[in-house]
Short mmCIF file of all heavy atoms in Angstrom, two decimals:
data_model
loop_
_atom_site.label_atom_id
_atom_site.label_comp_id
_atom_site.label_asym_id
_atom_site.label_seq_id
_atom_site.Cartn_x
_atom_site.Cartn_y
_atom_site.Cartn_z
N GLY A 181 26.89 4.91 -0.90
CA GLY A 181 28.09 5.73 -0.94
C GLY A 181 28.14 6.78 0.16
O GLY A 181 29.11 7.50 0.30
N HIS A 182 27.12 6.88 0.94
CA HIS A 182 27.09 7.79 2.10
C HIS A 182 26.13 7.21 3.11
O HIS A 182 25.48 6.22 2.87
CB HIS A 182 26.67 9.21 1.67
CG HIS A 182 25.34 9.26 0.98
ND1 HIS A 182 24.15 9.27 1.67
CD2 HIS A 182 25.03 9.27 -0.33
CE1 HIS A 182 23.15 9.31 0.81
NE2 HIS A 182 23.65 9.31 -0.41
N ASP A 183 26.07 7.84 4.29
CA ASP A 183 25.21 7.28 5.33
C ASP A 183 24.08 8.23 5.71
O ASP A 183 23.62 8.24 6.83
CB ASP A 183 26.00 6.83 6.56
CG ASP A 183 26.50 7.96 7.42
OD1 ASP A 183 26.40 9.13 6.98
OD2 ASP A 183 26.96 7.68 8.52
N SER A 184 23.60 9.03 4.75
CA SER A 184 22.52 9.96 5.06
C SER A 184 21.18 9.27 5.16
O SER A 184 20.24 9.81 5.72
CB SER A 184 22.44 11.05 4.00
OG SER A 184 21.96 10.50 2.79
N GLY A 185 21.05 8.09 4.55
CA GLY A 185 19.78 7.38 4.59
C GLY A 185 18.80 7.85 3.54
O GLY A 185 17.73 7.30 3.40
N ALA A 186 19.14 8.86 2.78
CA ALA A 186 18.22 9.39 1.78
C ALA A 186 18.90 9.41 0.42
O ALA A 186 20.04 9.81 0.29
CB ALA A 186 17.78 10.81 2.15
N GLU A 187 18.23 8.94 -0.56
CA GLU A 187 18.71 9.01 -1.94
C GLU A 187 18.06 10.21 -2.60
O GLU A 187 17.04 10.71 -2.16
CB GLU A 187 18.33 7.71 -2.69
CG GLU A 187 18.95 6.47 -2.07
CD GLU A 187 20.47 6.47 -2.08
OE1 GLU A 187 21.08 7.06 -2.99
OE2 GLU A 187 21.04 5.86 -1.19
N ASP A 188 18.64 10.68 -3.66
CA ASP A 188 18.12 11.85 -4.37
C ASP A 188 16.98 11.43 -5.29
O ASP A 188 17.17 11.27 -6.50
CB ASP A 188 19.23 12.53 -5.17
CG ASP A 188 20.30 13.08 -4.26
OD1 ASP A 188 19.94 13.49 -3.14
OD2 ASP A 188 21.47 13.09 -4.66
N THR A 189 15.81 11.23 -4.73
CA THR A 189 14.64 10.88 -5.50
C THR A 189 13.48 11.74 -5.04
O THR A 189 13.52 12.35 -3.99
CB THR A 189 14.26 9.39 -5.33
OG1 THR A 189 13.93 9.17 -3.97
CG2 THR A 189 15.39 8.47 -5.75
N THR A 190 12.42 11.76 -5.84
CA THR A 190 11.26 12.56 -5.47
C THR A 190 10.32 11.78 -4.55
O THR A 190 9.52 12.37 -3.87
CB THR A 190 10.50 13.01 -6.72
OG1 THR A 190 10.15 11.85 -7.48
CG2 THR A 190 11.35 13.95 -7.55
N VAL A 191 10.42 10.45 -4.54
CA VAL A 191 9.58 9.63 -3.68
C VAL A 191 10.34 9.36 -2.39
O VAL A 191 11.43 8.83 -2.42
CB VAL A 191 9.21 8.30 -4.37
CG1 VAL A 191 8.41 7.42 -3.43
CG2 VAL A 191 8.46 8.56 -5.66
N GLU A 192 9.75 9.76 -1.28
CA GLU A 192 10.41 9.57 0.00
C GLU A 192 9.87 8.32 0.69
O GLU A 192 8.69 8.25 1.03
CB GLU A 192 10.18 10.79 0.89
CG GLU A 192 11.03 10.77 2.13
CD GLU A 192 10.93 12.06 2.91
OE1 GLU A 192 11.02 13.14 2.30
OE2 GLU A 192 10.76 11.97 4.13
N ALA A 193 10.72 7.33 0.84
CA ALA A 193 10.33 6.08 1.48
C ALA A 193 10.52 6.22 2.99
O ALA A 193 11.43 6.91 3.45
CB ALA A 193 11.18 4.94 0.95
N PRO A 194 9.66 5.57 3.77
CA PRO A 194 9.85 5.62 5.23
C PRO A 194 11.12 4.87 5.61
O PRO A 194 11.54 3.94 4.91
CB PRO A 194 8.60 4.94 5.78
CG PRO A 194 8.05 4.14 4.66
CD PRO A 194 8.51 4.78 3.39
N PRO A 195 11.74 5.25 6.72
CA PRO A 195 12.98 4.60 7.15
C PRO A 195 12.71 3.16 7.61
O PRO A 195 11.60 2.85 8.05
CB PRO A 195 13.46 5.47 8.31
CG PRO A 195 12.22 6.12 8.83
CD PRO A 195 11.32 6.31 7.64
N PRO A 196 13.71 2.29 7.55
CA PRO A 196 13.53 0.90 7.98
C PRO A 196 13.53 0.74 9.50
O PRO A 196 13.20 -0.33 10.00
CB PRO A 196 14.72 0.17 7.36
CG PRO A 196 15.76 1.22 7.17
CD PRO A 196 15.02 2.50 6.93
N TYR A 197 13.90 1.78 10.25
CA TYR A 197 13.93 1.74 11.71
C TYR A 197 13.23 2.97 12.27
O TYR A 197 13.21 4.01 11.65
CB TYR A 197 15.34 1.79 12.29
CG TYR A 197 16.39 1.08 11.52
CD1 TYR A 197 17.28 1.78 10.72
CD2 TYR A 197 16.52 -0.29 11.59
CE1 TYR A 197 18.27 1.14 10.03
CE2 TYR A 197 17.51 -0.95 10.89
CZ TYR A 197 18.39 -0.23 10.11
OH TYR A 197 19.37 -0.86 9.42
N ALA A 198 12.74 2.84 13.49
CA ALA A 198 12.23 3.99 14.24
C ALA A 198 12.59 3.75 15.71
O ALA A 198 12.09 2.81 16.32
CB ALA A 198 10.72 4.13 14.08
N PHE A 199 13.48 4.58 16.24
CA PHE A 199 13.93 4.43 17.61
C PHE A 199 13.73 5.72 18.39
O PHE A 199 13.97 6.81 17.88
CB PHE A 199 15.43 4.09 17.65
CG PHE A 199 15.75 2.69 17.26
CD1 PHE A 199 16.18 2.40 15.98
CD2 PHE A 199 15.62 1.66 18.17
CE1 PHE A 199 16.49 1.10 15.61
CE2 PHE A 199 15.93 0.37 17.82
CZ PHE A 199 16.36 0.08 16.54
N LEU A 200 13.33 5.57 19.65
CA LEU A 200 13.26 6.67 20.60
C LEU A 200 14.55 6.59 21.42
O LEU A 200 14.89 5.53 21.94
CB LEU A 200 12.03 6.49 21.51
CG LEU A 200 11.63 7.64 22.40
CD1 LEU A 200 11.22 8.85 21.57
CD2 LEU A 200 10.47 7.21 23.29
N THR A 201 15.28 7.69 21.53
CA THR A 201 16.56 7.72 22.23
C THR A 201 16.35 8.16 23.67
O THR A 201 15.76 9.20 23.93
CB THR A 201 17.54 8.67 21.52
OG1 THR A 201 17.69 8.25 20.17
CG2 THR A 201 18.90 8.67 22.20
N ILE A 202 16.85 7.34 24.60
CA ILE A 202 16.67 7.57 26.03
C ILE A 202 18.04 7.52 26.71
O ILE A 202 18.84 6.63 26.40
CB ILE A 202 15.76 6.49 26.65
CG1 ILE A 202 14.41 6.48 25.93
CG2 ILE A 202 15.61 6.69 28.15
CD1 ILE A 202 13.62 5.21 26.15
N GLY A 203 18.29 8.45 27.61
CA GLY A 203 19.55 8.41 28.34
C GLY A 203 19.49 9.24 29.60
O GLY A 203 18.96 10.34 29.60
N MET A 204 20.02 8.69 30.66
CA MET A 204 20.17 9.39 31.93
C MET A 204 18.89 10.06 32.40
O MET A 204 18.87 11.21 32.82
CB MET A 204 21.32 10.37 31.86
CG MET A 204 22.64 9.66 31.59
SD MET A 204 23.94 10.75 31.04
CE MET A 204 23.32 11.25 29.46
#
């Protein structure tokens, strides 16, 4: 229902992606 990537739980799961942002 939102795009925060976090649900309201006490257990924090690691994200499904990890990206380094590079530009210019």
Side-chain angles (χ1 to χ4, degrees):
H182 57 82
D183 74 350
S184 70
E187 299 298 330
D188 296 327
T189 62
T190 56
V191 176
E192 190 173 314
Y197 324 102
F199 286 98
L200 191 63
T201 303
I202 302 162
M204 298 164 293

